[in-house]
Every structure is written in C-alpha cells, then in structure tokens.
Amino acid sequence: MRLEPIAQPSLARRLVPPALALLGAFLVASVLALIAGGNPLAVFGAIVKGAVGSKFALLETLNRATPLIFTGLAVAVAFRAKLWNIGAEAQLYAGAVVTAVLGTGVLPWPPALLLPAIALTAMLAGALLLLVPALLKTRLGVDEVVTTLLLNYIFLLFVSYLLEGPLKDPMGMGWPKSARLIAEARLPRIVEGLRLHWGFALALLSAVALWVVNARTTLGFEMRAVGQNAEAARFAGMPVTGVVLKTALLSGGLAALAGFSEVSGLKGSLTLDLSPGYGYTGIVVAMLALLHPLGVVAAALFVAAIFVGADAMSRALGVPSYIADIMLASALLMMVLAILLTKFRVVRD
C-alpha cells in the first residue's frame, strides 16, 4: 500500500474527512463520558448550555475566543509558509509585557493615540521574538520547531523575573504581578458591565485582513508558493528567505496581539498565569481551521465553547472537565489524518 497525491481534490474530498474527524472526536468524548458515569447526551447538552445558554455564557465564550483567534491566525499564517511556529505562547507574553510597561502611564497620551501605539509596539515585540528563530532557520538551517518551543520556556522565565523584580507592583501585597494599567490604556467593553471587550472586534478584523493578504496580495501568493515548494519558488525567482522573514514578522505580531488584548482588555495587569496555554491551543485552532484565516474564527469559537461549556458541565454534572482537553486533542490528531486524506489516496500496489 502507498499514498498517491491527488492533483485536484473534489469538494467532497476536502469536506468529508474533516467532518468525520470532528465526529470521531465527539465519539471519543462520548466513551469517556460513559466511563466517568455520565450520559453523553446530557454531557454535550450541558456543554452547549454552559457555552451559549445565556447572555453571560455567550459573551464569556466570545471573550475566551479572542486570544485563540489571534494565536490561531499566527500559527495559520506561519504554517501556510511551512514556518513551524510553536512559540506563539512566548510571543503572546512579549505583547503582554510591552502592554504592561507602556500602559502604566509612561506615555501620557489620550486613548485614541495610546491604544494603537501600545498595540503596534506589542506587535513589534512579538515579531522580533519570532524573527530570531526565522533567521536561524534561513541562515544556519536550525530547526525552528526546537528554537520556538524552547523560547516559550525562556521567555516565561524572563516574565517571572520581571514580575518578581522591575515590573512588580509595589501595591500588590507581595503578589507577582505588574501595576494596573491606567484607564486610557484599557480597551473599552463592548457590552457595559460584562467582560467582552473590543479586542474581540480587533481579532475579527485581523482575520479578515489576513484573508485579504492571503487571497489578494503578492505576499500571500508568495507565502503559499514557498509553503508548497520552496525550491520551486526560488527557481521561479521568489525571494524565499525574505518571504519566510516577512511571514515570521506577521505571525509573531499576530500572536503578540493576544497578549495585548488580554492585558489591556481583560486583566488590566500582567501575571504569570495570564495565558492557560493560548499559544499552544492556537495550533489546534489553526489545524481545525485547515489554516484558513476565516476558518480560524469558527475554530476558535468552537474551542472556546468547548472549554467554557466543559467548566459549566463539570459543575452541573460532576463529570471531569478534562474531557474537553481530550476531545480537542483527539480532534487535532484526527484532523491531521483528515488533512492527509484530503491530499492523498491510499492505493494498493
């Protein structure tokens, strides 16, 4: 048996395997729910109700989806060009650190100037952080999977140092957190009295903008060409190294916006537990979306709904919320297989 490439996959070939992958993930979760002593239908019903069953639940799901959209976009744009960015977590924290520094009154500007300045500087920090592994990849052939993954741990240790030293809030009663952002540096709420902020709108705008870049610009075409065959792209005269570096800057900047939105829109200060793994979950989001920017929005909403709903389900039924983690992990593994089956067919020699 061998795998044979499919030149032009049909619409059914592109849609059926991913749909079956999601169905398989739900079947795995159903079996686990039974083992945990729950009724699968009741479990999934409680997850849906906990995610979208009330105004508060729906807005909380949108709130949780915001950083996932940013990190999913960061991973999607990088993976499209075969730049394996596993470091979105570090880039998220880079954006968060910049936000915590500039948002405490360093720049005495009005919100109309201060918020864009902080967002752009945060993007620059995330972009430069990913630029280092990209340069190592293009100049020295160093595997970016290793460098970006290790940078996550290095940067988290750096953040820990900052929160125990230069950025520690003197009014924080000893807790390792930064000072609160001033009001002018906070993203306003979309719905007054609830936690959903305008970072969600920025995430949607970023998804649309990235889709335009991918589908309507020369850079988008070059990223796709380099991702499909770097040597062929180089033979055609494309600046492969330049495309990889531009992709790294764009990917790192998008991931950093997740840190900006979390600190400026939600938390109001920097803490070491700011992200419960949004950078890593962004990989799941991007793969579920098949690396499509608009699909990232849908995938992020799905993942956020699973997490928010699972928490509510666990409180209501006593079934462990870890089912959500297993469901997403199995969905990722099955989606990888589904992507393979959309591009190749199994033939018997």
Side-chain angles (χ1 to χ4, degrees), residues 46-47 49-52 56-58 60-65 302-315 324:
I47 290 176
K49 182 179 179 181
V52 297
F56 175 81
L58 177 59
E60 195 62 26
T61 297
L62 298 180
N63 210 45
R64 185 76 70 92
F302 170 74
V303 172
I306 293 296
F307 280 136
V308 173
D311 290 338
M313 176 274 300
S314 181
R315 292 191 297 269

Side-chain angles (χ1 to χ4, degrees), residues 289-312:
L290 302 179
L291 307 184
H292 193 289
L294 300 184
V296 164
V297 176
L301 291 171
F302 170 74
V303 172
I306 293 296
F307 280 136
V308 173
D311 290 338

Side-chain angles (χ1 to χ4, degrees), residues 237-289:
M238 294 182 187
V240 173
T241 298
V243 171
V244 171
L245 296 181
K246 290 176 186 177
T247 302
L249 293 173
L250 180 57
S251 176
L254 287 168
L257 282 178
F260 161 74
S261 71
E262 285 297 284
V263 174
S264 179
L266 187 62
K267 304 293 186 180
S269 62
L270 173 63
T271 58
L272 196 59
D273 61 352
L274 176 73
S275 167
Y278 289 136
Y280 298 109
T281 310
I283 299 174
V284 179
V285 170
M287 296 303 293
L288 290 177

